[in-house]
């Protein structure tokens, strides 16, 4: 799927799973409506709210010069009650 890079598993994102909120990193050029469309189309769920923030790129040294990695966007997607994204729910239950 273009746009959504991968799911994020941090302490906060695991806590948000109990509130039916899923966190993932997405391409920085996508809009909120495009991400909502991708989520509903690909996972077959109903999205009721979306929060996003842009994370800065990290500094990387390449010899004597300093460079930057690309920035990216993180989306927190809230689903309607009764909906879930099964692969993420399954992985969470396997690791207590």
């Amino acid at each position: 799927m273009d746009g959504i890079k991968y799911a994020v598993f941090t302490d906060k994102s695991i806590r948000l799973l109990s509130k039916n909120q899923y966190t993932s990193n997405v391409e920085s050029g996508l809009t909120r409506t495009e991400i909502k469309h991708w989520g509903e189309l690909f996972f077959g769920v109903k999205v009721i709210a979306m929060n996003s923030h842009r994370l800065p790129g990290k500094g990387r040294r390449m010899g004597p010069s300093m460079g930057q990695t690309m920035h990216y966007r993180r989306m927190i997607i809230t689903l309607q009650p009764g909906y879930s994204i099964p692969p993420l729910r399954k992985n969470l239950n396997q690791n207590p």
Side-chain angles (χ1 to χ4, degrees):
M1 173 167 65
D2 297 334
I4 297 177
K5 291 182 179 180
Y6 51 87
V8 176
F9 294 106
T10 60
D11 290 337
K12 181 179 179 179
S13 67
I14 291 172
R15 221 177 28 246
L16 290 175
L17 285 175
S18 65
K19 298 178 183 178
N20 212 18
Q21 295 180 335
Y22 295 86
T23 308
S24 61
N25 286 346
V26 297
E27 296 288 334
S28 61
L30 294 178
T31 63
R32 300 175 92 190
T33 54
E34 289 173 340
I35 295 299
K36 180 179 179 180
H37 174 72
W38 275 108
E40 290 179 347
L41 182 69
F42 188 73
F43 296 114
V45 296
K46 294 297 281 182
V47 177
I48 58 172
M50 296 184 63
N51 296 328
S52 69
H53 58 278
R54 183 183 160 276
L55 296 160
K58 297 180 179 180
R60 293 285 186 244
R61 181 167 298 281
M62 291 176 273
S65 62
M66 192 71 172
Q68 285 277 343
T69 60
M70 292 294 293
H71 62 272
Y72 55 96
R73 183 178 298 247
R74 183 167 288 168
M75 301 293 285
I76 301 174
I77 302 169
T78 306
L79 304 180
Q80 281 186 354
Y83 287 95
S84 67
I85 299 176
L88 300 181
R89 222 16 122 176
K90 184 177 178 183
N91 290 342
L92 180 67
N93 292 335
Q94 289 178 354
N95 298 327

